[in-house]
Amino acid sequence: LLWFLVVCGAVYVLAARLLDPRTASLACLAHGVSSFSCSAVSCIAARHALVSTALAAVGLAVYVLARLDDRTRRARGGLGLLALATLGGEGALGGFGFVVAYELLMSRDPWRARLAFLAAASAFSVGFVLFYARAGYGVAGSAVHLDPLHRPVEFLTALPGRLTALFAEVALGLPADLWQLPPLRPVL
């Protein structure tokens, strides 16, 4: 439960700095009741994801707040926390995606400074993915989880349907997990 509270706290602190307090509260609530949070808190086998997410959320909050306050050393520390979070799970790589999005879309610093942080985040991400693939980590033998590095054709073939399902969940509220269900067949 403590890891979950750390994640919610980091989400709130970051959102409160970037948005208004009311929207930040809604962002924290949305994260808190998301299916990811519920499964990570309720399932003991998913605790690694919660630990990884807590470190990534704190790292991302430290990074963005440091960049907003022009504190380069602290921003590097935030990137270090994001890197540390990958020890808990590969899902922490998503934090580096947020770093890239921040530098491309929100940062007002000169491009030279932004490119330095983009290069650091990209280098770590690419290095991690290469190590991950080379070491043989990841899911194998699953029809649900398709590894784009080891099964690129199957991954790309399934991608349009999965993106449609994710869009339908965000835009229409239809659960994205429905695409995993087998087709309905008549009982008689």
Side-chain angles (χ1 to χ4, degrees), residues 125-151:
S125 298
V126 169
F128 180 88
V129 169
L130 291 175
F131 168 77
Y132 193 83
R134 191 102 161 117
Y137 295 130
V139 177
S142 171
V144 177
H145 299 284
L146 300 175
D147 184 348
L149 296 174
H150 294 106
R151 296 169 57 192

Side-chain angles (χ1 to χ4, degrees), residues 59-132:
L60 186 61
V62 166
Y63 176 80
V64 171
L65 296 179
R67 294 289 286 132
L68 289 170
D69 295 337
D70 201 26
R71 298 183 182 270
T72 302
R73 182 176 288 163
R74 190 174 293 165
R76 288 184 190 132
L79 288 177
L81 282 172
L82 278 169
L84 184 65
T86 61
L87 295 175
E90 69 275 8
L93 278 180
F96 287 99
F98 279 103
V99 167
V100 170
Y102 173 80
E103 293 300 338
L104 293 177
L105 304 173
M106 294 190 71
S107 178
R108 300 293 174 236
D109 290 342
W111 275 102
R112 184 180 179 118
R114 295 159 82 173
L115 288 173
F117 284 107
L118 283 168
S122 299
F124 179 84
S125 298
V126 169
F128 180 88
V129 169
L130 291 175
F131 168 77
Y132 193 83

